[in-house]
Amino acid sequence: MRLYSTLQRTKVDLPDPPGPIRMYFCGPTVYARAHIGNARPFVLGMWLRSWLRERGYDVKLVHNITDVNDKIYDAAPGESAELAERATQWYLEDTGDLGLGQPDELPKATEHVPGIVRFIEELVEGGFAYPAGGDVYFRIASFPAYGALSGRLDTEGARNPSEEEEQSELKEDARDFALWKAHKEGEDTSWDSPWGRGRPGWHIECSVMAEELLGPVFEIHGGGLDLVFPHHENELAQSRALGHDFAQIWTHNGMLRFTGEKMSKSLGNVVTIRDAIDTWGRETVLLFFMTAHWSKPIDFSEETMAQAAAQVETLRNKLRYPGEEGDSWDELVAALDDDFNTPDALAILHRWQDRDLIVRALGLFGLDSLAGEESAPPEIVKLAERREAAREAREFAESDQLRAEIDAHGWEVRDEPGGFRLVRKQ
Ligand SMILES: [Zn+2]
């Protein structure tokens, strides 16, 4: 198995099974319902875990929750902790409804502050960081390998655009970034540290949570392409400055783009994971993510979602009328072991005829439900309930009319002892 890595700029082989394969995928900053684009690294992490386990690996996936941050303070002044708690639950519910299970660990930054303080102390002792006015900054000049991940080696004073730039006059160098931030008025959370009350910077929390849960060396680090610089460059610098090898393979997923008139004009940027599941159903959302290679951008529009829904129907139909056995599992292995190529895997699934193999493969992506009986959409269930009530009231004309309406939507209502059953018409 090999995966493209941003650091080496080529595909890198994974160790042989059973590994272990330790993975850290950067998670959301929690202050609102998560955007559909945030689902991509989650889905990729969960799919990779499931494929690696299928291939005999011992896998552990860590996905963090950033629950202290300027965005959260701004979204709920004086009540950021409560908002973060609520938004964490939303994220767990919404990603849970994708039906892929949950990562092995979901650490929260606020639960790792003592480890973060110790890590920063080590950086200060080593000369890689310096306190200034209650803040602590990483000293870029002390780490010559800075820029190795992103390729941004410019030394012309490029500002580090991580989070807010206030108090930047405290920095020795405009490129330096904050590891610890002094408490400011209005912020409702803060912790003790050798530099006074304050809270951790964003980058340091990921270095610390990854190392505490996976060790100083681990195999795969994931996250969106927008995190390469400065977030991941800074994580790598913090950890390697202390001599920890940190992540070996860096898998950055391409961004989700809103395209098509409706999406890019009105809905763009406000479609949440919740909206997408409620509008298109979890199976269509998952199949949509299979249609593009994880490292490439993916276009989200009414059209691409309709195409994904059509593919879901095609696969569901194929499972109703399967063909001969005898397809080769190795074909799928070749596609997924070579940089986890899900568009190729999808093409193979459309070609295969062997029901057992198709269901086994769909199961890796949380889509084996396509083999089961399809559950009727809520509006059809409502019609059937109204029909049942009409029957009980002996209003047979209305009951017949509702049956016809259900029929027109492609469903058949069957009366059974104690209720009804809705079956998709063939
Ligand atoms: Zn991170």
Side-chain angles (χ1 to χ4, degrees), residues 232-271:
H232 289 165
E233 191 73 66
N234 292 353
E235 283 183 32
L236 189 63
Q238 293 156 170
S239 291
R240 292 206 168 164
L242 293 187
H244 309 161
D245 216 32
F246 207 59
Q248 307 297 294
I249 295 175
W250 293 76
T251 53
H252 288 108
N253 63 270
M255 304 313 287
L256 181 140
R257 302 185 295 209
F258 286 99
T259 54
E261 193 149 356
K262 195 169 169 198
M263 288 296 170
S264 48
K265 283 205 178 131
S266 57
L267 292 177
N269 305 322
V270 296
V271 177

mmCIF file of all heavy atoms in Angstrom, residues 232-271:
data_model
loop_
_atom_site.group_PDB
_atom_site.id
_atom_site.type_symbol
_atom_site.label_atom_id
_atom_site.label_comp_id
_atom_site.label_asym_id
_atom_site.label_seq_id
_atom_site.Cartn_x
_atom_site.Cartn_y
_atom_site.Cartn_z
ATOM 1 N N HIS A 232 0.284 22.902 9.477
ATOM 2 C CA HIS A 232 1.095 21.687 9.528
ATOM 3 C C HIS A 232 2.597 21.969 9.488
ATOM 4 O O HIS A 232 3.396 21.236 10.082
ATOM 5 C CB HIS A 232 0.668 20.730 8.405
ATOM 6 C CG HIS A 232 -0.684 20.126 8.671
ATOM 7 N ND1 HIS A 232 -1.421 19.484 7.709
ATOM 8 C CD2 HIS A 232 -1.433 20.086 9.798
ATOM 9 C CE1 HIS A 232 -2.569 19.063 8.251
ATOM 10 N NE2 HIS A 232 -2.591 19.426 9.506
ATOM 11 N N GLU A 233 2.979 23.015 8.773
ATOM 12 C CA GLU A 233 4.397 23.412 8.777
ATOM 13 C C GLU A 233 4.826 23.707 10.217
ATOM 14 O O GLU A 233 5.921 23.330 10.650
ATOM 15 C CB GLU A 233 4.561 24.670 7.906
ATOM 16 C CG GLU A 233 6.000 25.023 7.606
ATOM 17 C CD GLU A 233 6.621 24.055 6.606
ATOM 18 O OE1 GLU A 233 6.196 24.035 5.448
ATOM 19 O OE2 GLU A 233 7.540 23.312 7.000
ATOM 20 N N ASN A 234 3.945 24.364 10.963
ATOM 21 C CA ASN A 234 4.269 24.738 12.345
ATOM 22 C C ASN A 234 4.253 23.524 13.278
ATOM 23 O O ASN A 234 5.105 23.402 14.165
ATOM 24 C CB ASN A 234 3.293 25.805 12.848
ATOM 25 C CG ASN A 234 3.488 27.138 12.119
ATOM 26 O OD1 ASN A 234 4.431 27.286 11.341
ATOM 27 N ND2 ASN A 234 2.602 28.079 12.357
ATOM 28 N N GLU A 235 3.314 22.598 13.065
ATOM 29 C CA GLU A 235 3.308 21.360 13.865
ATOM 30 C C GLU A 235 4.635 20.617 13.691
ATOM 31 O O GLU A 235 5.252 20.168 14.663
ATOM 32 C CB GLU A 235 2.186 20.412 13.391
ATOM 33 C CG GLU A 235 0.789 20.776 13.839
ATOM 34 C CD GLU A 235 -0.219 19.718 13.367
ATOM 35 O OE1 GLU A 235 0.145 18.525 13.266
ATOM 36 O OE2 GLU A 235 -1.364 20.090 13.076
ATOM 37 N N LEU A 236 5.037 20.491 12.416
ATOM 38 C CA LEU A 236 6.264 19.747 12.105
ATOM 39 C C LEU A 236 7.469 20.427 12.756
ATOM 40 O O LEU A 236 8.336 19.765 13.339
ATOM 41 C CB LEU A 236 6.430 19.673 10.582
ATOM 42 C CG LEU A 236 7.523 18.755 10.046
ATOM 43 C CD1 LEU A 236 7.235 17.303 10.411
ATOM 44 C CD2 LEU A 236 7.642 18.880 8.524
ATOM 45 N N ALA A 237 7.519 21.754 12.682
ATOM 46 C CA ALA A 237 8.651 22.502 13.255
ATOM 47 C C ALA A 237 8.709 22.311 14.770
ATOM 48 O O ALA A 237 9.784 22.030 15.327
ATOM 49 C CB ALA A 237 8.515 23.984 12.902
ATOM 50 N N GLN A 238 7.572 22.420 15.441
ATOM 51 C CA GLN A 238 7.540 22.285 16.904
ATOM 52 C C GLN A 238 8.069 20.927 17.332
ATOM 53 O O GLN A 238 8.855 20.805 18.268
ATOM 54 C CB GLN A 238 6.093 22.404 17.409
ATOM 55 C CG GLN A 238 5.477 23.763 17.244
ATOM 56 C CD GLN A 238 3.949 23.738 17.188
ATOM 57 O OE1 GLN A 238 3.347 24.773 17.239
ATOM 58 N NE2 GLN A 238 3.340 22.567 17.056
ATOM 59 N N SER A 239 7.585 19.877 16.654
ATOM 60 C CA SER A 239 7.947 18.528 17.068
ATOM 61 C C SER A 239 9.372 18.173 16.679
ATOM 62 O O SER A 239 10.124 17.605 17.467
ATOM 63 C CB SER A 239 6.961 17.518 16.475
ATOM 64 O OG SER A 239 5.698 17.697 17.107
ATOM 65 N N ARG A 240 9.756 18.513 15.462
ATOM 66 C CA ARG A 240 11.116 18.158 15.028
ATOM 67 C C ARG A 240 12.175 18.985 15.743
ATOM 68 O O ARG A 240 13.304 18.525 15.923
ATOM 69 C CB ARG A 240 11.225 18.246 13.503
ATOM 70 C CG ARG A 240 10.396 17.151 12.843
ATOM 71 C CD ARG A 240 10.879 16.727 11.472
ATOM 72 N NE ARG A 240 10.186 15.492 11.071
ATOM 73 C CZ ARG A 240 10.133 15.020 9.836
ATOM 74 N NH1 ARG A 240 10.724 15.667 8.853
ATOM 75 N NH2 ARG A 240 9.497 13.894 9.582
ATOM 76 N N ALA A 241 11.817 20.203 16.188
ATOM 77 C CA ALA A 241 12.773 21.009 16.963
ATOM 78 C C ALA A 241 13.187 20.241 18.218
ATOM 79 O O ALA A 241 14.337 20.316 18.653
ATOM 80 C CB ALA A 241 12.161 22.352 17.328
ATOM 81 N N LEU A 242 12.258 19.464 18.776
ATOM 82 C CA LEU A 242 12.575 18.681 19.981
ATOM 83 C C LEU A 242 13.149 17.305 19.636
ATOM 84 O O LEU A 242 13.306 16.457 20.513
ATOM 85 C CB LEU A 242 11.322 18.514 20.856
ATOM 86 C CG LEU A 242 10.768 19.787 21.506
ATOM 87 C CD1 LEU A 242 9.633 19.436 22.463
ATOM 88 C CD2 LEU A 242 11.855 20.566 22.254
ATOM 89 N N GLY A 243 13.428 17.067 18.366
ATOM 90 C CA GLY A 243 14.031 15.803 17.964
ATOM 91 C C GLY A 243 13.042 14.664 17.783
ATOM 92 O O GLY A 243 13.429 13.508 17.672
ATOM 93 N N HIS A 244 11.738 14.984 17.763
ATOM 94 C CA HIS A 244 10.730 13.952 17.518
ATOM 95 C C HIS A 244 10.492 13.874 16.008
ATOM 96 O O HIS A 244 10.289 14.897 15.370
ATOM 97 C CB HIS A 244 9.404 14.306 18.215
ATOM 98 C CG HIS A 244 9.565 14.658 19.668
ATOM 99 N ND1 HIS A 244 8.615 15.353 20.374
ATOM 100 C CD2 HIS A 244 10.569 14.387 20.553
ATOM 101 C CE1 HIS A 244 9.031 15.521 21.627
ATOM 102 N NE2 HIS A 244 10.216 14.946 21.763
ATOM 103 N N ASP A 245 10.496 12.670 15.485
ATOM 104 C CA ASP A 245 10.381 12.546 14.031
ATOM 105 C C ASP A 245 8.992 12.925 13.510
ATOM 106 O O ASP A 245 8.839 13.332 12.386
ATOM 107 C CB ASP A 245 10.749 11.130 13.595
ATOM 108 C CG ASP A 245 11.470 11.162 12.256
ATOM 109 O OD1 ASP A 245 12.175 12.159 12.007
ATOM 110 O OD2 ASP A 245 11.298 10.215 11.468
ATOM 111 N N PHE A 246 7.979 12.754 14.364
ATOM 112 C CA PHE A 246 6.593 13.138 14.057
ATOM 113 C C PHE A 246 6.073 12.359 12.844
ATOM 114 O O PHE A 246 6.480 11.233 12.616
ATOM 115 C CB PHE A 246 6.517 14.662 13.868
ATOM 116 C CG PHE A 246 5.171 15.259 14.184
ATOM 117 C CD1 PHE A 246 4.600 15.118 15.432
ATOM 118 C CD2 PHE A 246 4.468 15.973 13.221
ATOM 119 C CE1 PHE A 246 3.349 15.670 15.723
ATOM 120 C CE2 PHE A 246 3.219 16.534 13.498
ATOM 121 C CZ PHE A 246 2.667 16.379 14.756
ATOM 122 N N ALA A 247 5.147 12.935 12.074
ATOM 123 C CA ALA A 247 4.465 12.172 11.015
ATOM 124 C C ALA A 247 5.391 11.866 9.845
ATOM 125 O O ALA A 247 6.186 12.703 9.430
ATOM 126 C CB ALA A 247 3.261 12.968 10.520
ATOM 127 N N GLN A 248 5.244 10.643 9.309
ATOM 128 C CA GLN A 248 6.066 10.216 8.186
ATOM 129 C C GLN A 248 5.416 10.545 6.844
ATOM 130 O O GLN A 248 6.082 10.945 5.907
ATOM 131 C CB GLN A 248 6.287 8.695 8.268
ATOM 132 C CG GLN A 248 6.839 8.235 9.609
ATOM 133 C CD GLN A 248 8.222 8.810 9.879
ATOM 134 O OE1 GLN A 248 9.178 8.482 9.182
ATOM 135 N NE2 GLN A 248 8.330 9.686 10.860
ATOM 136 N N ILE A 249 4.110 10.330 6.750
ATOM 137 C CA ILE A 249 3.383 10.543 5.489
ATOM 138 C C ILE A 249 2.313 11.596 5.745
ATOM 139 O O ILE A 249 1.565 11.498 6.727
ATOM 140 C CB ILE A 249 2.739 9.219 5.022
ATOM 141 C CG1 ILE A 249 3.828 8.200 4.679
ATOM 142 C CG2 ILE A 249 1.797 9.450 3.842
ATOM 143 C CD1 ILE A 249 3.288 6.824 4.312
ATOM 144 N N TRP A 250 2.246 12.602 4.879
ATOM 145 C CA TRP A 250 1.270 13.696 5.047
ATOM 146 C C TRP A 250 0.262 13.640 3.915
ATOM 147 O O TRP A 250 0.609 13.915 2.766
ATOM 148 C CB TRP A 250 1.984 15.045 5.066
ATOM 149 C CG TRP A 250 2.865 15.235 6.265
ATOM 150 C CD1 TRP A 250 4.099 14.664 6.473
ATOM 151 C CD2 TRP A 250 2.580 16.040 7.431
ATOM 152 N NE1 TRP A 250 4.595 15.066 7.703
ATOM 153 C CE2 TRP A 250 3.693 15.913 8.304
ATOM 154 C CE3 TRP A 250 1.512 16.845 7.806
ATOM 155 C CZ2 TRP A 250 3.750 16.563 9.533
ATOM 156 C CZ3 TRP A 250 1.571 17.497 9.027
ATOM 157 C CH2 TRP A 250 2.684 17.358 9.877
ATOM 158 N N THR A 251 -0.969 13.239 4.247
ATOM 159 C CA THR A 251 -2.021 13.105 3.229
ATOM 160 C C THR A 251 -2.956 14.310 3.311
ATOM 161 O O THR A 251 -3.761 14.408 4.221
ATOM 162 C CB THR A 251 -2.835 11.822 3.478
ATOM 163 O OG1 THR A 251 -3.290 11.814 4.834
ATOM 164 C CG2 THR A 251 -2.008 10.580 3.239
ATOM 165 N N HIS A 252 -2.815 15.221 2.363
ATOM 166 C CA HIS A 252 -3.681 16.410 2.350
ATOM 167 C C HIS A 252 -4.786 16.246 1.318
ATOM 168 O O HIS A 252 -4.511 16.107 0.133
ATOM 169 C CB HIS A 252 -2.848 17.659 2.059
ATOM 170 C CG HIS A 252 -1.974 18.042 3.209
ATOM 171 N ND1 HIS A 252 -0.605 17.883 3.213
ATOM 172 C CD2 HIS A 252 -2.304 18.537 4.432
ATOM 173 C CE1 HIS A 252 -0.129 18.280 4.387
ATOM 174 N NE2 HIS A 252 -1.130 18.676 5.142
ATOM 175 N N ASN A 253 -6.031 16.272 1.811
ATOM 176 C CA ASN A 253 -7.141 16.124 0.867
ATOM 177 C C ASN A 253 -7.423 17.439 0.139
ATOM 178 O O ASN A 253 -7.271 18.523 0.712
ATOM 179 C CB ASN A 253 -8.407 15.621 1.573
ATOM 180 C CG ASN A 253 -8.939 16.570 2.612
ATOM 181 O OD1 ASN A 253 -8.557 16.492 3.769
ATOM 182 N ND2 ASN A 253 -9.816 17.483 2.217
ATOM 183 N N GLY A 254 -7.820 17.310 -1.137
ATOM 184 C CA GLY A 254 -8.183 18.482 -1.933
ATOM 185 C C GLY A 254 -9.431 19.144 -1.366
ATOM 186 O O GLY A 254 -10.200 18.529 -0.623
ATOM 187 N N MET A 255 -9.639 20.398 -1.735
ATOM 188 C CA MET A 255 -10.752 21.152 -1.165
ATOM 189 C C MET A 255 -12.064 20.864 -1.888
ATOM 190 O O MET A 255 -12.078 20.506 -3.056
ATOM 191 C CB MET A 255 -10.453 22.659 -1.233
ATOM 192 C CG MET A 255 -9.148 23.064 -0.563
ATOM 193 S SD MET A 255 -8.908 22.345 1.085
ATOM 194 C CE MET A 255 -10.105 23.309 2.007
ATOM 195 N N LEU A 256 -13.149 21.048 -1.160
ATOM 196 C CA LEU A 256 -14.486 20.927 -1.738
ATOM 197 C C LEU A 256 -14.862 22.302 -2.300
ATOM 198 O O LEU A 256 -14.742 23.306 -1.611
ATOM 199 C CB LEU A 256 -15.459 20.492 -0.649
ATOM 200 C CG LEU A 256 -16.916 20.286 -1.077
ATOM 201 C CD1 LEU A 256 -17.474 19.047 -0.378
ATOM 202 C CD2 LEU A 256 -17.768 21.485 -0.750
ATOM 203 N N ARG A 257 -15.257 22.321 -3.579
ATOM 204 C CA ARG A 257 -15.605 23.589 -4.232
ATOM 205 C C ARG A 257 -17.090 23.617 -4.533
ATOM 206 O O ARG A 257 -17.646 22.629 -5.014
ATOM 207 C CB ARG A 257 -14.853 23.732 -5.563
ATOM 208 C CG ARG A 257 -13.359 23.660 -5.443
ATOM 209 C CD ARG A 257 -12.677 23.935 -6.762
ATOM 210 N NE ARG A 257 -12.959 22.909 -7.770
ATOM 211 C CZ ARG A 257 -12.128 22.578 -8.752
ATOM 212 N NH1 ARG A 257 -10.968 23.196 -8.876
ATOM 213 N NH2 ARG A 257 -12.452 21.645 -9.616
ATOM 214 N N PHE A 258 -17.711 24.758 -4.267
ATOM 215 C CA PHE A 258 -19.121 24.907 -4.618
ATOM 216 C C PHE A 258 -19.191 25.365 -6.066
ATOM 217 O O PHE A 258 -18.638 26.390 -6.414
ATOM 218 C CB PHE A 258 -19.799 25.929 -3.710
ATOM 219 C CG PHE A 258 -20.028 25.399 -2.335
ATOM 220 C CD1 PHE A 258 -19.162 25.715 -1.302
ATOM 221 C CD2 PHE A 258 -21.094 24.556 -2.075
ATOM 222 C CE1 PHE A 258 -19.357 25.207 -0.034
ATOM 223 C CE2 PHE A 258 -21.295 24.046 -0.807
ATOM 224 C CZ PHE A 258 -20.433 24.369 0.219
ATOM 225 N N THR A 259 -19.861 24.569 -6.887
ATOM 226 C CA THR A 259 -19.983 24.941 -8.297
ATOM 227 C C THR A 259 -21.457 24.862 -8.674
ATOM 228 O O THR A 259 -22.297 24.467 -7.867
ATOM 229 C CB THR A 259 -19.160 23.986 -9.194
ATOM 230 O OG1 THR A 259 -19.562 22.654 -8.904
ATOM 231 C CG2 THR A 259 -17.677 24.145 -8.930
ATOM 232 N N GLY A 260 -21.770 25.216 -9.906
ATOM 233 C CA GLY A 260 -23.167 25.226 -10.319
ATOM 234 C C GLY A 260 -23.787 26.504 -9.787
ATOM 235 O O GLY A 260 -23.385 27.024 -8.755
ATOM 236 N N GLU A 261 -24.788 27.013 -10.499
ATOM 237 C CA GLU A 261 -25.331 28.329 -10.185
ATOM 238 C C GLU A 261 -25.855 28.443 -8.760
ATOM 239 O O GLU A 261 -25.466 29.325 -8.001
ATOM 240 C CB GLU A 261 -26.441 28.672 -11.175
ATOM 241 C CG GLU A 261 -26.817 30.120 -11.105
ATOM 242 C CD GLU A 261 -27.290 30.648 -12.444
ATOM 243 O OE1 GLU A 261 -27.248 29.879 -13.426
ATOM 244 O OE2 GLU A 261 -27.716 31.795 -12.484
ATOM 245 N N LYS A 262 -26.720 27.504 -8.377
ATOM 246 C CA LYS A 262 -27.393 27.606 -7.091
ATOM 247 C C LYS A 262 -26.391 27.562 -5.927
ATOM 248 O O LYS A 262 -26.436 28.369 -5.005
ATOM 249 C CB LYS A 262 -28.400 26.457 -6.966
ATOM 250 C CG LYS A 262 -29.395 26.676 -5.858
ATOM 251 C CD LYS A 262 -30.521 25.670 -5.923
ATOM 252 C CE LYS A 262 -31.355 25.746 -4.659
ATOM 253 N NZ LYS A 262 -32.175 24.552 -4.473
ATOM 254 N N MET A 263 -25.446 26.607 -6.043
ATOM 255 C CA MET A 263 -24.485 26.421 -4.953
ATOM 256 C C MET A 263 -23.537 27.594 -4.834
ATOM 257 O O MET A 263 -23.275 28.085 -3.739
ATOM 258 C CB MET A 263 -23.644 25.166 -5.209
ATOM 259 C CG MET A 263 -24.396 23.905 -5.022
ATOM 260 S SD MET A 263 -24.902 23.737 -3.318
ATOM 261 C CE MET A 263 -26.000 22.361 -3.493
ATOM 262 N N SER A 264 -22.980 28.031 -5.949
ATOM 263 C CA SER A 264 -21.939 29.038 -5.826
ATOM 264 C C SER A 264 -22.540 30.395 -5.484
ATOM 265 O O SER A 264 -21.893 31.223 -4.883
ATOM 266 C CB SER A 264 -21.088 29.101 -7.086
ATOM 267 O OG SER A 264 -21.898 29.163 -8.210
ATOM 268 N N LYS A 265 -23.787 30.641 -5.887
ATOM 269 C CA LYS A 265 -24.368 31.963 -5.601
ATOM 270 C C LYS A 265 -25.036 32.056 -4.239
ATOM 271 O O LYS A 265 -24.673 32.895 -3.439
ATOM 272 C CB LYS A 265 -25.375 32.326 -6.689
ATOM 273 C CG LYS A 265 -24.668 32.771 -7.944
ATOM 274 C CD LYS A 265 -25.521 33.673 -8.801
ATOM 275 C CE LYS A 265 -24.763 34.132 -10.031
ATOM 276 N NZ LYS A 265 -25.541 33.948 -11.243
ATOM 277 N N SER A 266 -26.003 31.194 -3.988
ATOM 278 C CA SER A 266 -26.764 31.406 -2.759
ATOM 279 C C SER A 266 -26.387 30.466 -1.629
ATOM 280 O O SER A 266 -26.194 30.880 -0.499
ATOM 281 C CB SER A 266 -28.255 31.275 -3.057
ATOM 282 O OG SER A 266 -28.512 30.016 -3.624
ATOM 283 N N LEU A 267 -26.242 29.191 -1.955
ATOM 284 C CA LEU A 267 -26.047 28.232 -0.868
ATOM 285 C C LEU A 267 -24.605 28.067 -0.449
ATOM 286 O O LEU A 267 -24.320 27.657 0.653
ATOM 287 C CB LEU A 267 -26.583 26.861 -1.295
ATOM 288 C CG LEU A 267 -28.090 26.779 -1.461
ATOM 289 C CD1 LEU A 267 -28.479 25.401 -1.959
ATOM 290 C CD2 LEU A 267 -28.768 27.036 -0.123
ATOM 291 N N GLY A 268 -23.699 28.396 -1.398
ATOM 292 C CA GLY A 268 -22.284 28.140 -1.168
ATOM 293 C C GLY A 268 -21.844 28.592 0.200
ATOM 294 O O GLY A 268 -22.295 29.602 0.714
ATOM 295 N N ASN A 269 -20.976 27.814 0.796
ATOM 296 C CA ASN A 269 -20.353 28.119 2.086
ATOM 297 C C ASN A 269 -21.279 27.954 3.282
ATOM 298 O O ASN A 269 -20.848 28.047 4.410
ATOM 299 C CB ASN A 269 -19.748 29.522 2.109
ATOM 300 C CG ASN A 269 -18.786 29.693 0.971
ATOM 301 O OD1 ASN A 269 -18.062 28.758 0.645
ATOM 302 N ND2 ASN A 269 -18.800 30.838 0.351
ATOM 303 N N VAL A 270 -22.566 27.750 3.048
ATOM 304 C CA VAL A 270 -23.417 27.543 4.215
ATOM 305 C C VAL A 270 -24.001 26.138 4.242
ATOM 306 O O VAL A 270 -24.790 25.827 5.110
ATOM 307 C CB VAL A 270 -24.556 28.580 4.315
ATOM 308 C CG1 VAL A 270 -23.978 29.972 4.512
ATOM 309 C CG2 VAL A 270 -25.455 28.544 3.105
ATOM 310 N N VAL A 271 -23.628 25.283 3.282
ATOM 311 C CA VAL A 271 -24.145 23.921 3.323
ATOM 312 C C VAL A 271 -23.385 23.150 4.403
ATOM 313 O O VAL A 271 -22.157 23.047 4.365
ATOM 314 C CB VAL A 271 -23.998 23.206 1.960
ATOM 315 C CG1 VAL A 271 -24.478 21.773 2.058
ATOM 316 C CG2 VAL A 271 -24.768 23.963 0.893
#
